[in-house]
Structure formats: C-alpha cells, structure tokens
Amino acid sequence: MRKAFRLYFLVDTLEYLQKGGRIGKAAALVGSLLNIKPILSINDDGEVFSVDKVRGQKKAMNRILELLRQELDGQPIHLSMAYSTDRSTAEELEALIRQHFEVKSVQYTHLGPVIGAHVGPGTVAALAAPA
C-alpha cells in the first residue's frame, strides 16, 4: 500500500534545512537569493530526498501537480494535505490539484514541532493515493 502513495512537500525557506545540516551554508545562501523552492519526498527507507528544485512558490506547486499527474495519470485520488504554519498555502495547492484530479476525499493535518523544526514555517505537503 505504501508504494501506491505519492508524497511531495515544498519547503518555503532553506534556513531550517541548513540549520539541520541537510544543506550547506553556501547552498542555502545561493538558493535563498535565487528563490529556490526544493520539492522533497521520502524514500522507502524513510530518508528525505530532493525530487526537484524550482524557482518560486507557484512554479513549485505546478511542478508537484505535474509529478502527481505523471505518476497517477488522472486517476481518482484520496488526498491528504499537511502544513507547518499556514493552512492557506495547503488549500491553494489542494485547489490546484482539484483542477486536474477527481478528489474522492481530502483531509488536513498540521505538521508537528519535530518535523516543523527540520523543515521550517511555510512548508506544505501533498500525499495522494489512487482511490
């Protein structure tokens, strides 16, 4: 069942990835100056990995949609949205996904302080599975 799920999350700031040792100071500085938004996921071993890097929040959300469309091919889906501080960003991503998928159900969850400490404020995640 875990293989059917697709998880992508978008980190708003590189500061917390840098503080946690996931990226170097130089990469965080350059990425911040260029408004780079990494799109991350988690592999089968539970390790976070970079899927892509996009400039700007809107482009990053569109890239997440593109990845979901490639993998789930327009199937009806169940959707879970997670956010660290701002639910409206998650709602914006949900609305974008709904434009291209038949969403059978959606639920929201708040990322806890442990995950939030690693990814920082403004993080949003979409978890989709075939219905």
Side-chain angles (χ1 to χ4, degrees), residues 43-93:
N43 66 19
D44 289 339
D45 296 326
E47 297 172 348
V48 175
F49 69 96
S50 176
V51 175
D52 204 352
K53 297 174 189 86
V54 183
R55 290 184 70 179
Q57 181 103 354
K58 298 280 186 207
K59 287 181 182 177
M61 287 185 182
N62 282 316
R63 179 65 177 132
I64 289 173
L65 173 64
E66 181 183 323
L67 291 165
L68 290 173
R69 289 180 73 185
Q70 287 173 1
E71 294 182 11
L72 297 172
D73 196 26
Q75 302 173 59
I77 61 170
H78 295 291
L79 186 62
S80 292
M81 303 300 299
Y83 59 95
S84 61
T85 56
D86 188 7
R87 182 176 168 136
S88 67
T89 305
E91 290 170 345
E92 185 179 342
L93 180 56

Side-chain angles (χ1 to χ4, degrees):
M1 192 168 158
R2 182 168 52 175
K3 294 198 183 293
F5 286 92
R6 299 294 176 257
L7 168 66
Y8 297 105
F9 56 103
L10 169 61
V11 178
D12 188 48
T13 176
L14 300 174
E15 176 185 355
Y16 295 86
L17 293 176
Q18 185 267 317
K19 286 181 177 181
R22 303 243 184 247
I23 62 173
K25 286 184 181 183
L29 177 63
V30 171
S32 294
L33 291 173
L34 295 174
N35 195 25
I36 299 293
K37 304 294 182 190
I39 298 170
L40 307 172
S41 191
I42 300 175
N43 66 19
D44 289 339
D45 296 326
E47 297 172 348
V48 175
F49 69 96
S50 176
V51 175
D52 204 352
K53 297 174 189 86
V54 183
R55 290 184 70 179
Q57 181 103 354
K58 298 280 186 207
K59 287 181 182 177
M61 287 185 182
N62 282 316
R63 179 65 177 132
I64 289 173
L65 173 64
E66 181 183 323
L67 291 165
L68 290 173
R69 289 180 73 185
Q70 287 173 1
E71 294 182 11
L72 297 172
D73 196 26
Q75 302 173 59
I77 61 170
H78 295 291
L79 186 62
S80 292
M81 303 300 299
Y83 59 95
S84 61
T85 56
D86 188 7
R87 182 176 168 136
S88 67
T89 305
E91 290 170 345
E92 185 179 342
L93 180 56
E94 177 202 350
L96 182 64
I97 292 169
R98 280 188 181 275
Q99 292 175 9
H100 299 277
F101 284 93
E102 179 185 348
V103 178
K104 294 289 189 176
S105 67
V106 65
Q107 59 185 1
Y108 278 81
T109 188
H110 187 266
L111 295 173
V114 173
I115 295 173
H118 290 284
V119 295
T123 298
V124 62
L127 175 76

